[in-house]
Amino acid sequence: IEFLAQLEIDHALAMKKFIREEIGAKQMISHSQVIFGGVVGARREFIISDVVDTHGYWHHPHFPRKPWDMNDWEINNVSQIASEDGGTLAEMAMQRPFGKPYSVSEYDTPAPNDFAAETFPLFAAMACLHDWSAIYHFNFKHSAKYDSDKITSFFDLPGHPAKQAFVPLAALVFRKGLIEPLATQCRLPLSDEAVLSVASEKAGDVWGSWRDVWGRHKVTGKHAWGSAVGFDLDDRAAGNHNRVMVRQRQSGRRALLAGSGI
């Protein structure tokens, strides 16, 4: 597992060097989503990426028999506000390694969820609370007409009044930082040894392993609405799993609400 994890990092760093030095690209480079690999992914993205990125959906449509069968699907029609575990937004917050800009390049409450009006206000609120750098809605449109007068798909924004109505408000809240970042941070130190130990315990099946690591300290997603949560990989000599609470105001520059045409 250690060999495979290092091979992935070495390969990605070689790619990054080629893009940055040989091609001369100036843009910030992100390797992949932090969720790919659980805590191993958090370590990988912290080492490689200029900006750490993730995706998340509040109750993505489920296809019980055939993938993407548009005649056979289910939506869990519930509110994220009422979620005891903090919901998808809290889960994305808990995947973050401290010390790098953080972006969410895909997020949505897929139709026909009756609580879709929560999508943009909650997204902007969580992004402000955790001082995220960039947020994107997935997606503005696939096949829907720009002036559509009805909901046409799970994700398209045109024609969805409950989502569209709150986009200007959410963009303003996020861009102007109208919600102050959380003052309390809940940092979980993870050394290289600790990360690889978790991966070994799970026999390499590390998808979602951040939940297990946080769970050992009885920290769940609901904490993400009151404290800025994340992994502390900067001092990887820590060598243990300790929860550290500190009082510290975060600061950063917010980017944009992109992908929604705003």
Side-chain angles (χ1 to χ4, degrees), residues 139-162:
N139 71 313
F140 180 72
K141 67 182 295 293
H142 275 137
S143 57
K145 296 180 180 179
Y146 286 105
D147 58 352
S148 177
D149 61 355
K150 61 184 178 182
I151 298 172
T152 57
S153 74
F154 297 122
F155 310 109
D156 286 353
L157 187 60
H160 198 308

Side-chain angles (χ1 to χ4, degrees), residues 106-181:
E106 285 189 25
Y107 174 74
D108 193 25
T109 305
N113 190 303
D114 289 338
F115 303 93
E118 298 174 357
T119 304
F120 286 105
L122 287 184
F123 197 17
M126 182 62 88
C128 285
L129 289 172
H130 288 262
D131 207 10
W132 291 348
S133 298
I135 57 175
Y136 304 75
H137 169 244
F138 184 89
N139 71 313
F140 180 72
K141 67 182 295 293
H142 275 137
S143 57
K145 296 180 180 179
Y146 286 105
D147 58 352
S148 177
D149 61 355
K150 61 184 178 182
I151 298 172
T152 57
S153 74
F154 297 122
F155 310 109
D156 286 353
L157 187 60
H160 198 308
K163 291 182 185 176
Q164 283 185 311
F166 286 101
V167 172
L169 168 67
L172 188 67
V173 168
F174 179 65
R175 286 174 166 171
K176 289 187 172 293
L178 300 183
I179 299 175
E180 289 290 324

Side-chain angles (χ1 to χ4, degrees), residues 2-216:
E2 182 177 0
F3 167 76
L4 291 173
Q6 190 59 47
L7 185 67
E8 181 181 37
I9 290 170
D10 291 344
H11 174 65
L13 288 174
M15 292 175 63
K16 183 177 181 180
K17 182 178 180 180
F18 173 76
I19 294 169
R20 180 79 75 217
E21 297 182 11
E22 296 194 40
I23 295 179
K26 307 284 186 191
Q27 298 93 332
M28 299 183 79
I29 296 174
S30 181
H31 173 61
S32 183
Q33 294 177 47
V34 71
I35 55 175
F36 293 149
V39 290
V40 180
R43 172 177 174 262
R44 179 196 64 233
E45 296 305 306
F46 179 78
I47 293 171
I48 298 167
S49 296
D50 299 319
V51 54
V52 177
D53 183 65
T54 194
H55 293 175
Y57 294 83
W58 175 243
H59 291 297
H60 194 282
H62 171 62
F63 303 89
R65 279 160 282 274
K66 181 182 177 182
W68 295 101
D69 183 349
M70 300 307 294
N71 295 311
D72 184 14
W73 52 268
E74 302 168 350
I75 287 283
N76 194 7
N77 191 33
V78 294
S79 165
Q80 189 164 189
I81 291 175
S83 176
E84 293 184 0
D85 64 4
T88 298
L89 288 165
E91 180 161 295
M92 292 191 296
M94 298 185 77
Q95 299 162 12
R96 179 183 188 175
F98 279 116
K100 291 290 181 79
Y102 199 56
S103 70
V104 177
S105 58
E106 285 189 25
Y107 174 74
D108 193 25
T109 305
N113 190 303
D114 289 338
F115 303 93
E118 298 174 357
T119 304
F120 286 105
L122 287 184
F123 197 17
M126 182 62 88
C128 285
L129 289 172
H130 288 262
D131 207 10
W132 291 348
S133 298
I135 57 175
Y136 304 75
H137 169 244
F138 184 89
N139 71 313
F140 180 72
K141 67 182 295 293
H142 275 137
S143 57
K145 296 180 180 179
Y146 286 105
D147 58 352
S148 177
D149 61 355
K150 61 184 178 182
I151 298 172
T152 57
S153 74
F154 297 122
F155 310 109
D156 286 353
L157 187 60
H160 198 308
K163 291 182 185 176
Q164 283 185 311
F166 286 101
V167 172
L169 168 67
L172 188 67
V173 168
F174 179 65
R175 286 174 166 171
K176 289 187 172 293
L178 300 183
I179 299 175
E180 289 290 324
L182 292 163
T184 304
Q185 288 188 344
C186 181
R187 306 175 74 102
L188 178 54
L190 285 178
S191 66
D192 286 350
E193 181 182 0
V195 169
L196 295 172
S197 176
V198 171
S200 178
E201 290 171 13
K202 299 178 74 64
D205 183 15
V206 290
W207 180 267
S209 53
W210 63 84
R211 300 187 192 98
D212 298 334
V213 173
W214 281 111
R216 295 173 185 179

